[in-house]
Amino acid sequence: MRLVLLGAPGSGKGTQATRLREHLQVPHISTGELLRAAVAAGTPLGLKAKAVMEAGSLVSDDIVLGMLEERLTAGDTGNGFVLDGYPRNLAQANALDALLTRLGQPVDIAVQLDVDTELLVSRLAGRAQAEGRVDDSPETVRNRQKVYNEATAPVVDFYRNSGRLACVDGVGSVDEVFRRILATLAPTPDIG
Ligand code: AP5
Ligand code: MG
């Protein structure tokens, strides 16, 4: 199963990807986590990405695509993957389709986690207290939501228009949301 998780910052992509990784036995690939690891390691890529991430803006498409291609060709995605945090704009969505067509591993389904803005902001405020992620400050969270609405929201239509979108209500307990996601992945029974 090759699955893309879509949703605004704080919608639960990382949380649900961890569950899906266990359930589907496929790697969880998060471009945010790959970038945070590069920043922590002080690699040239991390040095370029650091200030952009701290502002809550998007790291350049070229940098992220190169990093993702490296990850997708690491040899452990034969059974699929759960992709979290990519694509974040239409150029990335087209680049991902081109890359995965070339690798013979097209996306099966994109799952959109739907959560209203007020709840997103309160979840990230909670995480700021608990984990201290640098981009969870109120000002940066506002910019991340703005970037999502302007650049990333159109990606939902990209998958809808190609018949690969499932929308899931992301409000409720982690278990409830996980069950809703699994229900969208279950094969539709034959009728007649
Ligand atoms: P990234 O790491 O992808 O962050 P994000 O999209 O802003 O999303 P988050 O990780 O904040 O939220 P999430 O949806 O994973 O929710 P989570 O499960 O953590 O990107 C960070 C930055 O990297 C970007 O701003 C950009 O600069 C750069 N970047 C990354 N990818 C890029 C790309 N493709 N192109 C360019 N730049 C890129 O949950 C959030 C909180 O809510 C947690 O505390 C969690 O415990 C809680 N929670 C989750 N589910 C529930 C629930 N059901 N009920 C109650 N609480 C819940
Ligand atoms: Mg995340």
Side-chain angles (χ1 to χ4, degrees), residues 13-14 30 36 84 127 133:
K13 301 183 296 295
S30 157
R36 280 187 288 279
D84 150 19
R127 193 175 63 186
R133 205 172 110 177

Side-chain angles (χ1 to χ4, degrees), residues 180-192:
R180 288 178 202 141
I181 296 174
L182 291 187
T184 70
L185 306 184
T188 319
D190 277 345
I191 298 170

Side-chain angles (χ1 to χ4, degrees), residues 99-127:
L99 171 62
L100 292 177
T101 300
R102 184 153 55 80
L103 298 177
Q105 301 185 339
V107 167
D108 295 308
I109 189 164
V111 175
Q112 153 79 359
L113 296 175
D114 194 21
V115 176
D116 69 58
T117 308
E118 219 171 295
L119 186 55
L120 294 170
V121 169
S122 102
R123 282 186 186 176
L124 294 180
R127 193 175 63 186

Side-chain angles (χ1 to χ4, degrees), residues 143-156:
N143 191 45
R144 284 162 61 202
Q145 304 291 350
K146 182 167 174 274
V147 168
Y148 177 81
N149 290 330
E150 290 174 3
T152 312
V155 171
V156 176

Side-chain angles (χ1 to χ4, degrees), residues 9-10 12-15 31 36 57 59 85 88 92 127 133 144 172:
K13 301 183 296 295
T15 303
T31 48
R36 280 187 288 279
S57 300
V59 176
R88 268 179 138 93
Q92 292 188 5
R127 193 175 63 186
R133 205 172 110 177
R144 284 162 61 202

Side-chain angles (χ1 to χ4, degrees), residues 122-138 141:
S122 102
R123 282 186 186 176
L124 294 180
R127 193 175 63 186
Q129 298 253 313
E131 294 176 27
R133 205 172 110 177
V134 287
D135 59 349
D136 281 343
S137 68
V141 165

Side-chain angles (χ1 to χ4, degrees), residues 55 93 97 127 139 142:
D97 266 5
R127 193 175 63 186
E139 192 191 332
R142 265 196 300 280

